[in-house]
Amino acid sequence: MARVGLTTERLIRAGAELADEIGFDQVTPSELARRFDVKVASLYSHVKNSQDLKTRIALFALEELADLSADAVAGRAGKDALTAFANVYRDYAHEHPGRAAAARLRLDPETAAASAGVRHARMTRAILRGYDLAEPEQTHAVRLLGSVFHGYASLEGAGGFSHSAPDSEETWTRILDALDALLRNWPARPTP
């Protein structure tokens, strides 16, 4: 083990890189051991099992994405903040498809509460404060934005928009315009 310098951090980073290369679902301790040319047993002093490995990669991706998002939205407000935030998610999915998939891994409630996912929610809510949405409408808007950002990036990554005009960049810009307009004119809650 010492000859390859295995550390948990190094394994998780390599696991994230492997996810980008072969897909997050394909990452296993066996695949990671092959990358380091070690026996699988060598990894188990750093990760418990395949689920622990995937969870750690997910946490790594969430942290990395939160840092990128925070940098992108710093000092911005309104549509400018919304656009910067959305572009981070889309760009991350393009550059790191396996990590983007990992960031969507379902975590147990305790792990999720201690993860950078909380930072993502706070940033989204901070952006939405510029649109003056109160609860529960703000939660609906958080879910809408997450669905659009992740859904669009997933479909685009799978080639879903590559067969027709206009190009996906133009559509993305129009979607962000539409989201901004929707958030500025959020429908009133129906009266029961």
Side-chain angles (χ1 to χ4, degrees):
M1 184 166 72
R3 69 183 168 86
V4 293
L6 289 182
T7 64
T8 304
E9 182 179 326
R10 188 165 177 226
L11 286 173
I12 300 313
R13 183 171 291 283
E17 291 167 3
L18 187 61
D20 290 337
E21 293 168 20
I22 67 171
F24 180 61
D25 290 340
Q26 304 305 311
V27 175
T28 64
S30 298
E31 285 293 331
L32 197 51
R34 275 192 277 286
R35 173 160 285 206
F36 285 98
D37 195 27
V38 297
K39 295 194 183 305
V40 176
S42 300
L43 303 187
Y44 291 127
S45 60
H46 302 283
V47 295
K48 295 176 194 165
N49 52 37
S50 183
Q51 186 59 42
D52 183 41
L53 173 62
K54 288 191 175 204
T55 297
R56 288 171 185 258
I57 293 169
L59 295 172
F60 173 84
L62 284 168
E63 189 72 37
E64 189 173 58
L65 189 52
D67 290 344
L68 292 168
S69 298
D71 289 345
V73 301
R76 298 175 190 253
K79 184 180 179 190
D80 193 32
L82 175 68
T83 300
F85 192 64
N87 285 335
V88 166
Y89 277 84
R90 183 173 174 232
D91 293 346
Y92 192 77
H94 286 178
E95 295 166 23
H96 303 292
R99 293 179 210 195
R104 294 188 306 272
L105 180 70
R106 185 179 189 148
L107 302 172
D108 67 73
E110 187 177 311
T111 303
S115 78
V118 175
R119 286 177 58 204
H120 293 269
R122 275 195 224 123
M123 279 186 276
T124 307
R125 288 179 186 282
I127 291 166
L128 290 174
R129 279 196 290 277
Y131 292 98
D132 199 29
L133 294 177
E135 285 298 350
E137 301 309 310
Q138 191 177 89
T139 296
H140 298 315
V142 167
R143 292 173 180 168
L144 170 70
L145 294 178
S147 298
V148 171
F149 300 163
H150 292 295
Y152 193 87
S154 293
L155 290 169
E156 187 177 34
F161 307 132
S162 61
H163 340 31
S164 62
D167 72 6
S168 63
E169 186 64 37
E170 183 178 340
T171 301
W172 180 246
T173 300
R174 296 295 295 137
I175 285 172
L176 295 178
D177 290 343
L179 283 174
D180 175 63
L182 171 64
L183 292 169
R184 283 186 284 109
N185 299 288
W186 194 262
R189 189 169 183 183
T191 310

